Amino acid sequence: MTETPGPSAAAPRLTDSGPTTVSAGVPPERPSAEEHAADVRGPAGSPHEHPAADRHDGEITGVTVRDLRVEYGAPTLGIGTGSPRLSWKIASSDPQWAFDRYEVEVTSDGRTERTIVRSTQQTFVPWPGAPLPSRASARVRVRTGSTSGWTPYSAPAAFEVGLLDASDWRAQFVSPRTLGGLGDGAPLVHGTFSTRGAGPLVAARLYVTAHGLYTFSVNGHPVTPDALTPGWSAYEHRLPYQVYDVTELIESGHNVLSAILGNGWYRGQLVWPGNRSSYGDRLALLAQLELRYADGSSQTVGTDATWRARRSSILFDDFYDGQVTDLRVSDRDPSDRDGVASEPVDVLGAPTERLVAPTAPPVRVTERILARELLSSPSGATIADFGQNVVGWVRVTVRGGVAGSEVVVRHAEVLEHGELGLRPLRSAKVTSRYILSGAAEEELVPTFTFNGFRYAEISGIDNLDVADVEALVLGTDLERVGWFECSDPRVNRLHENVAWSMRGNFLSVPTDCPQRDERLGWTGDIQVFSPTAAYLYDTAGFLSGWLEDLSAEQKPDGAVPFVIPDVLRAPDPVAAAWGDAATVVPTVLHGSYADAGMLSRQYPSMRAWVEKVSSVASPSGLWDSGFQFGDWLDPTAPADDPGKAQADPTVVATAHYARSAKLLGDAAAVIGFTADAEKYRALAERITDAFNFHFVTPSGRVLSDCQTVYALALCWDLIRDPVAYEGASRRLVELVVDAHYRVSTGFVGTPLILDALCRAGNGEAAYRMLTETECPSWLYSVEMGATTIWERWDSMLPDGSINPGEMTSFNHYAYGAVADWLHATVAGLKPLEPGYRRVLIKPQPGGDMTSASTRHDSPFGMIAAQWAIENDAFRLRIEVPYGVTAEVWLPGDESGRDVGIGAHEFSAAWSRQ
Ligand code: BGC
């Protein structure tokens, strides 16, 4: 940490031009009265700048700074920057109060520094002092002030910086020398060390990652319940490591460190059956343990040539196929005492430059669900039903099992004719086998695999008790921030299904599906779902990290791989709606969380994508060549040809091209690249001209005349002429009425269709479509008992048989993008300015719905909107946190009104037309 003048040299001062810092080698305390006075008076020479200074009487009551976050909030141990940004919320009972300055107090390395900055920013504010070095720990508090005084300090946020430099890694990747072939099961690598005996241990930190997955133990005790670590990312460029506080697990004297390595994404099957070793064929561990003693000395031990490897209890592991575990083998004590031979390891010269600290929480068990019942299938199998399609593990408790006997657990999302519906899983065997040890009680739960399932067939246990079977729900441990409810329970179930599909598919990376032999980070899926995702869960760090992977794997000419991490490795991947994740996801994240740093970082990637599309588009402005996924999974496409949509692929591609050029221009404007802003907005105009010229008739017919093309044209303002716009609006409604309100869109049109109907002036048609139950419709699956969003509108046919298509997942979030319309239009809440600084609250009631509500815990705090139709009156109650202005419209209003912090109620006369 850099030294700055002590308190006698300078009290904290308020500046306009930037932060001023004081530091003191003393524990944190409130600045003295003199300091306060100095704070509010402003820099010397500006005595009149804050005339209220004299009235200052210390602490403001009724206003508190809360939820102070460092970078993305989690993890807090091992942050990947020495200059983390800070964010906080403010709870205030005083609607008039506003802060114009904040003070950050940082305590690190025994010193306390306070910095006052004149600013009203409270999200992602810059780190106030010199960057912290690797390993530094710090405690931060923030208070905000105005001429009338300061709030109390927030509760402190503590964090620790990770290893910022490749040279911080002294440990080396080690890999079993001969064991660890695919047939050998998961190797256990282990090493020992002795504490130095230089006085009591103060802290021990484990920095750890692997080629493959790892579970790590110190003296036989697991260091964490985190699962599937280190997680998945673009490993060749960015390999995440974790940091654990293991102080309590270290013993004075001799210690044993051990890790079991699983195949996971690194070496297990990925993409298609039998395709293994996407990243390499040798599993390896990198672990560095750093100990600090009370006398100030330190000790670093880590993986090196002295480590050894042996077999573990895990005989086989694979994401698609499952796990085989021999419970007779103990992994707790890796010494050779039990007769299991060990062998030396090889030190791999693997580089440490690509090691990165994650910006998202790890995968964890986020919920446990007891089996609802045990069913007996027609073939006599015992099947546990969890009542909910989930992603994770089945855990079975066995009592009095016979040593050497085998228990087998197989998973499926649905039943067909009373038996597990395994066909949608394609080649994935989804089977976990356990060889029992014969202990009085044994817990059967896998480690290095995961499944998507509602049902589990369990064999090998006599008299299985339903209370002994539970589902452990796995996923990235994101914080829920968005909720929705309305008077229609079927729509509520639909919304719950969306949240469940998100939970299941936000597992380290955003995936298409979690169950079959696929589970990949398809860019098109997250492109359409990102607005919903960002509303339901705090995805700021998760998707920001994924975007870093996208940038890293984007081709030099700007092409965006179809999946990120890119295990497909297509040489020239260019497809509309999929590649547009490069422009759309950063835009959505910036709108939701006001993370301007992320937008600046992604800007080159956004621009490269638009430039790539420009290079393949024709001079006329149409994107009319090359491969397209198009309106993927349009319900009229044949089951075996999901790309054969009604929407012309050129129309779909050109619409995306125009939109991405526009989003790029807007992003350029946000980050101050004015020339680019003009250039790409003008490009968007030219493409829109071409769209009109080639695809739109004067009366508003849009080429290929199907729901999706009108949805694109209306939602993205692609029709120039008002008469044509009117005509297109009428035509869309006609098409929807002719389809008896059934959905006729695929991945591209589905997120837009209800919004398009509203733009066409027919919100009632949108409500009719939302509540339609005949297939294809959202509520068809709900009425069929779905508990997640299906990949196909008819993944299950009305007679209960599974769609014959080769791709039939029951847990695919893409069609769940409709939840964005529930939040933004039914409940009526959407951001107008980044981070919800300004929001629109404009509910549009319709259909038979009599009430709806939503809450979103925005970067500024909880925003709530709740409406109900009661006795010919429409009543709206809203809550607005400090820092947010809401523009509120009631149905029928000609204009909105602005309201600020607090709870507000509105009502208007209501009669159903
Ligand atoms: C995936 C989709 C993905 C698509 C692209 C499928 O196999 O499940 O969700 O976007 O391929 O074609």
Side-chain angles (χ1 to χ4, degrees), residues 512-513 516 518 522 524-525 578 629 632 747 791 807 812:
D512 59 335
C513 60
R516 65 176 178 229
E518 189 148 7
W522 283 97
D525 303 43
W578 273 252
F629 291 112
W632 187 252
F747 273 30
E791 179 174 24
M807 265 176 18
H812 238 76

Side-chain angles (χ1 to χ4, degrees), residues 698-723:
S699 66
R701 281 287 167 122
V702 179
L703 182 70
S704 63
D705 194 37
C706 59
Q707 291 182 11
T708 288
V709 294
Y710 290 102
L712 290 168
L714 295 178
C715 289
W716 295 351
D717 295 322
L718 295 174
I719 301 186
R720 290 250 185 261
D721 176 51
V723 174

Side-chain angles (χ1 to χ4, degrees), residues 514-532:
Q515 72 299 75
R516 65 176 178 229
D517 51 3
E518 189 148 7
R519 315 184 193 186
L520 304 177
W522 283 97
T523 47
D525 303 43
I526 188 59
Q527 187 269 113
V528 299
F529 190 69
S530 53
T532 299

Side-chain angles (χ1 to χ4, degrees), residues 239-311:
L239 174 62
Y241 65 89
Q242 280 75 38
V243 186
Y244 297 109
D245 178 356
V246 295
T247 318
E248 299 299 316
L249 301 179
I250 305 293
E251 281 162 20
S252 176
H254 182 75
N255 286 273
V256 179
L257 307 175
S258 62
I260 304 179
L261 300 176
N263 294 312
W265 297 281
Y266 193 90
R267 195 179 71 162
Q269 290 184 96
L270 262 188
V271 187
W272 60 83
N275 180 61
R276 294 195 172 80
S277 304
S278 289
Y279 296 96
D281 55 12
R282 290 193 77 172
L283 300 180
L285 176 73
L286 176 72
Q288 181 160 306
L289 177 64
E290 301 192 1
L291 305 130
R292 274 196 298 117
Y293 296 98
D295 67 355
S297 66
S298 59
Q299 180 183 11
T300 300
V301 295
T303 40
D304 61 18
T306 67
W307 283 52
R308 297 186 68 81
R310 52 172 272 175
R311 289 174 192 277

